[in-house]
Amino acid sequence: MAQDLLGTLSLMMELPAPSAAQTAIEKAKTADEEDFRYSQGTLYFAEIDTENYRKNL
């Protein structure tokens, strides 16, 4: 489900570049947006084929 959601979002907006787990955690710890502060939660990885979503539009 996360792949479909992120794939659909990638059609409407540019997603941030992928980063290493530790880099993602550091970004979350220093985020300005309260909703983005998830550094104590579970980290999930999802592979999104954005080209495939755009092709099947």
Side-chain angles (χ1 to χ4, degrees):
M1 289 175 45
Q3 289 176 319
D4 290 332
L5 172 64
L6 294 172
T8 302
L9 282 175
S10 74
L11 298 174
M12 297 180 276
M13 59 189 278
E14 186 175 332
L15 298 177
S19 59
Q22 191 57 40
T23 303
I25 291 168
E26 290 304 316
K27 286 182 180 181
K29 286 181 180 178
T30 60
D32 290 335
E33 298 176 37
E34 189 172 321
D35 290 340
F36 192 67
R37 295 187 187 144
Y38 60 84
S39 59
Q40 301 303 317
T42 304
L43 189 59
Y44 292 96
F45 294 93
E47 182 180 353
I48 290 81
D49 185 353
T50 56
E51 293 301 318
N52 189 41
Y53 275 91
R54 286 186 174 88
K55 182 177 74 174
N56 291 320
L57 227 176

